[in-house]
Amino acid sequence: MSLPKIDETYFTNFLVDLLNIPSPTGFASAAIDFVEKELSKYKQLKLSRTRKGALVAKWEVKSDLPPVALTAHADTLGAVVKEIKGNGRLRLSRIGGIQWPTVETEGVWVFTSKGEKIRGSVLIDVASGHIHSGADLPRDDKHLEVRLDALTTSETETRALGINIGDCVAFDTRTEVTNGFIRSRFLDDKACVANLVAAIKSMVESGQSPARSVYFHISNYEEVGHGAAAGIPDEVAELVTVDMAVVGPGQESDEFHATLCIKDSGGPYHEGLNKKMRGIAEKHGIPYKTDVYPFYGSDGEAFWRAGGDVALALIGPGIDASHNYERAHMDGLNATTNWIMAYLLER
């Protein structure tokens, strides 16, 4: 059976739209709403939310086989306001593993608890070269601050804007599509959410259905380690996590293939399901690699640690410069979408 054709234009447009929705962990409801609205177009899916706020879409079919599940996450790195300084500027507390040097001079939005948003930018607190002569200070929680684009030079004036401790701070993504590449912050893991949604669209439009019932779990707390710890039904026998593959020195993964992760910092994945995923890729001519990730954890492992009794595998497109200014290529993204569809069609 041939795989359904991928609508690359749809994939790209959906991904760009999703990337442009701020969704740091703890503040991802708008991104979840966007994915839910898109999936509500397909009558084959029964949609629900977990109490935690994750989206679950069930595609039920008649089968004598137990259901499977796939998960990807819509939450991203970000920050919250930790302190309002005496000069009116903000000190931040990171959400997830964002690397401070990579966001210096980046634009941000501060989302107040009253629903307003205020523009600003991240700067070192000795930013003026004509005063500090490029002082060599570490880029860390203590020395980086948000300069607000508002009339404030004091804590009192900043508080009067409606900003309070704990307000969400979202970094600009700088998304650009060029020459087959997509460059953006937070391709981890919105690219893989797009993989799942594009696979569903292609299968529905081609008239094909999964070989067994499947749950699609879009989590919202992955970047802090417990996204899919809840929300995967007990009846699920296999769980395939779809998340970025690590690209860089010493890694096998690249931007032009999908990757099957054999082991990460949480340990090895399920040998039997890994073997199955390799066989599916080879059967359908899907370009893939295998790899080991040194500093990495997944939503699937979160489910395992919470007591989930499933076979677990991890696949995803190669993404360069993870937790930095990331980049992916359509070859690797298409390979991942095809792998998802091939898995769903396999008994």
Side-chain angles (χ1 to χ4, degrees), residues 83-85 87-91 123 145-148 158:
E83 177 188 345
I84 302 174
K85 301 171 70 172
N87 62 2
R89 299 187 180 192
L90 310 177
R91 185 167 288 154
L123 295 169
E145 63 185 11
V146 173
R147 177 187 65 192
L148 296 168
T158 293

Side-chain angles (χ1 to χ4, degrees), residues 158-211:
T158 293
R159 288 188 183 274
L161 296 171
I163 293 176
N164 287 292
I165 306 303
D167 286 348
C168 173
V169 179
F171 301 94
D172 288 358
T173 64
R174 288 194 286 130
T175 303
E176 185 175 347
V177 180
T178 174
N179 197 30
F181 292 96
I182 300 177
R183 292 191 281 114
S184 180
R185 296 192 190 280
F186 314 136
L187 290 170
D188 170 20
D189 187 37
K190 290 183 175 181
C192 297
V193 174
N195 288 138
L196 291 179
V197 173
I200 292 168
K201 177 181 185 292
S202 293
M203 289 185 65
V204 168
E205 292 182 352
S206 70
Q208 298 188 56
S209 297

Side-chain angles (χ1 to χ4, degrees), residues 83-122:
E83 177 188 345
I84 302 174
K85 301 171 70 172
N87 62 2
R89 299 187 180 192
L90 310 177
R91 185 167 288 154
L92 302 179
S93 175
R94 287 181 291 181
I95 296 173
I98 201 149
Q99 302 176 61
W100 279 137
T102 73
V103 295
E104 184 178 359
T105 74
E106 191 62 271
V108 298
W109 287 105
V110 180
F111 292 86
T112 74
S113 56
K114 295 184 178 180
E116 300 172 342
K117 63 181 193 177
I118 297 171
R119 192 68 172 149
S121 50
V122 179

